[in-house]
Amino acid sequence: MLFKEIIGQEEVKQQLRLSVREGRIPHAQLFAGVSGIGKLQLALAYAQYVNCPHRTSEDSCGVCPTCQQYRNLQHPDLHFAFPIVKTDSADTCDAYMAPWRSIILKQHYFDLDDWYKVLGVETKQGMIYEKESSEILRKLSLKPFGDGYKVMIIWQPEKMNPTCANKLLKILEEPPKRTLFIMVSEHPEQLLSTIQSRVQTIRVPRLQAEDIAQALMSQHNMNETEARDIARIANGSYLQALKKSDETEENQQELRDFIALFRDAYTVGVMRDPKMKFDSLKRLRQWSMEMADSKVGREKQKHFLQYAQNQVRENYIRNFHQPELNYQMSAERDFSVKFAPFIHSGNVEQIMLELEKAERQIEQNGNAKVIFFDLCLQMIVLIKKPKTSDN
């Protein structure tokens, strides 16, 4: 991949190019930032730039054999580690290399949910298992194919099994000559402190809305008004912009689930009609069972809880009547017109805490049925809380 093919991130590109030109290439680096901003793309372009024998001051040449091998992700000195779901026949990343290369080459920008869909294991959480550390050490002990660097890109290193992470400490501190580790992380705070201390962190910022809008118009033939609206809502993530532009059934489902939760919580908590209360409570029970279904999977459950936190925030902000601060699609705005007054200073903090707690419990493999029904009960109590005097 070439630097010029990556959306935005000019300051980071310049920093990476300068380190190569000045011969200051840290052997272990951590590219940290939110999903969908081009971290993996930067890692690939940087690795190619480091190894291109004909690079210019701005980019790889793009035509030499090394660049061609990097473009196809087939260079013998380029290695990857990433979360997988272990099976009896596949317990290391090598078994998943074909779909891994495919998703990078076809989608470019993707997240864990997209990767799990490719693997067909949406109901499970992936991990970089202990055995992978042995594979990493073995690959990096081999003699390099050429005169360049051996490169190991670890995507989502926070998913490493603790034993796997610990086994990499020595090679991170004392790597073989001309070895380059690049970790690409969305949650660097979840890494072992001993790993954090051994890597040079490069903070990759959110993309500028203008860069996202230009990419949507040039690469997806989107009209300017729509592109700029979506770019603003995407909050610096090109991946989120792509997902927002694709209003599929799956994208709409989270809004329907959010509406169902709070409408029935309001009915049970506020309305006086006993039958309406009873019917809504039954629906909430059914809602919690459907959300907890194993077919949904923990990643989707977590994603919904993150979405709910975002919508609570948007509805609270809407009460200040400053539309430039709101980031919602049209269907979300339509619901918020009537719903926003019920999210106020008297309950917004507690609602957010309950949603965060539920997300954390799902992450820790808690009982989803208990977690989601308890969330329903908490929303019933909180939605009827009165406003405080400062709102």
Side-chain angles (χ1 to χ4, degrees):
M1 177 166 284
L2 301 174
F3 282 123
K4 67 181 181 181
E5 297 172 329
I6 300 172
I7 299 167
Q9 304 297 0
E10 295 306 322
E11 290 186 9
V12 178
K13 293 176 188 176
Q14 183 60 25
Q15 178 183 351
L16 295 174
R17 289 190 293 252
L18 185 62
S19 72
V20 178
R21 293 200 302 267
E22 295 184 349
R24 299 181 291 101
I25 302 176
H27 67 268
Q29 301 180 50
L30 172 68
F31 291 12
V34 299
S35 172
I37 56 177
K39 300 185 301 299
L40 180 58
Q41 290 71 28
L42 286 166
L44 290 167
Y46 179 52
Q48 180 172 323
Y49 188 67
V50 166
N51 283 293
C52 175
H54 307 298
R55 60 177 176 261
T56 67
S57 62
E58 295 300 312
D59 220 330
S60 308
C61 73
V63 296
C64 69
T66 295
C67 285
Q68 291 300 311
Q69 288 175 316
Y70 262 88
R71 176 169 291 279
N72 296 321
L73 308 179
Q74 297 281 3
H75 194 282
D77 289 332
L78 175 63
H79 308 285
F80 296 97
F82 41 83
I84 63 171
V85 176
K86 186 164 59 174
T87 66
D88 291 339
S89 58
D91 57 0
T92 66
C93 295
D94 283 350
Y96 295 91
M97 202 54 66
W100 172 251
R101 291 190 178 109
S102 177
I103 192 173
I104 295 176
L105 295 175
K106 290 181 179 178
Q107 291 186 224
H108 301 300
Y109 289 78
F110 59 93
D111 58 16
L112 269 174
D113 286 344
D114 297 322
W115 173 232
Y116 291 157
K117 287 177 186 176
V118 169
L119 296 182
V121 291
E122 297 176 56
T123 61
K124 299 180 181 179
Q125 297 187 88
M127 181 181 294
I128 302 176
Y129 294 92
E130 177 185 353
K131 188 174 180 180
E132 198 64 45
S133 60
S134 299
E135 284 297 297
I136 292 172
L137 296 174
R138 181 187 65 80
K139 291 171 182 176
L140 296 181
S141 68
L142 299 174
K143 183 179 179 180
F145 178 76
D147 296 328
Y149 278 72
K150 291 177 289 184
V151 179
M152 173 59 68
I153 296 177
I154 304 180
W155 185 67
Q156 304 279 352
E158 55 269 31
K159 293 290 185 180
M160 283 192 290
N161 175 291
T163 305
C164 173
N166 277 305
K167 284 187 175 181
L168 296 181
L169 292 177
K170 183 172 177 58
I171 195 171
L172 284 173
E173 189 167 9
E174 300 177 4
K177 290 183 179 180
R178 303 184 74 80
T179 298
L180 176 58
F181 270 93
I182 307 176
M183 297 186 177
V184 180
S185 174
E186 292 175 17
H187 301 286
E189 73 283 356
Q190 296 178 9
L191 287 167
L192 295 178
S193 59
T194 45
I195 284 186
Q196 294 182 48
S197 66
R198 285 167 167 79
V199 297
Q200 177 176 302
T201 300
I202 295 177
R203 300 287 176 181
V204 183
R206 293 178 184 270
L207 291 164
Q208 296 294 317
E210 181 62 25
D211 290 331
I212 294 176
Q214 290 297 329
L216 291 173
M217 287 186 285
S218 62
Q219 298 180 19
H220 298 275
N221 299 318
M222 193 175 293
N223 67 66
E224 182 175 355
T225 300
E226 185 181 9
R228 293 190 183 281
D229 282 346
I230 290 176
R232 182 173 176 275
I233 294 170
N235 194 24
S237 170
Y238 185 60
L239 178 61
Q240 290 306 310
L242 292 177
K243 291 187 176 184
K244 287 291 185 182
S245 66
D246 183 19
E247 290 294 343
T248 63
E249 178 67 18
E250 184 176 348
N251 300 138
Q252 295 286 348
Q253 186 60 47
E254 288 184 326
L255 175 59
R256 289 197 290 268
D257 289 333
F258 180 81
I259 292 172
L261 169 62
F262 280 97
R263 275 185 174 167
D264 283 320
Y266 172 81
T267 301
V268 177
V270 179
M271 301 297 284
R272 295 186 176 183
D273 187 311
K275 186 178 185 307
M276 291 179 64
K277 283 176 170 287
F278 181 71
D279 290 344
S280 289
L281 188 59
K282 284 202 305 184
R283 284 195 295 270
L284 283 174
R285 176 61 176 167
Q286 181 62 31
W287 180 91
S288 67
M289 295 292 286
E290 291 173 357
M291 291 299 297
D293 193 315
S294 61
K295 294 180 181 178
V296 174
R298 292 192 180 270
E299 290 301 324
K300 282 188 177 181
Q301 290 165 351
K302 289 191 297 182
H303 197 276
F304 166 75
L305 292 166
Q306 293 164 359
Y307 173 83
Q309 292 170 54
N310 180 65
Q311 286 306 305
V312 168
R313 178 260 180 204
E314 295 298 331
N315 278 272
Y316 178 63
I317 294 296
R318 183 169 290 277
N319 291 309
F320 295 100
H321 306 292
Q322 296 185 20
E324 70 277 6
L325 298 179
N326 275 114
Y327 299 86
Q328 292 178 300
M329 299 296 283
S330 58
E332 295 165 343
R333 290 197 297 269
D334 291 344
F335 175 65
S336 294
V337 170
K338 293 183 177 180
F339 178 64
F342 298 99
I343 304 297
H344 47 73
S345 59
N347 63 11
V348 63
E349 184 175 355
Q350 290 173 284
I351 289 175
M352 290 292 285
L353 287 173
E354 290 298 329
L355 290 166
E356 290 170 2
K357 182 178 75 173
E359 181 188 354
R360 186 169 61 253
Q361 291 172 335
I362 291 293
E363 176 73 33
Q364 296 168 346
N365 291 318
N367 187 315
K369 292 180 181 179
V370 174
I371 294 168
F372 279 105
F373 190 59
D374 179 66
L375 179 66
C376 292
L377 298 178
Q378 295 298 329
M379 294 305 105
I380 290 170
V381 174
L382 294 173
I383 200 69
K384 65 180 181 181
K385 290 194 70 171
K387 298 180 182 179
T388 57
S389 57
D390 62 337
N391 197 49

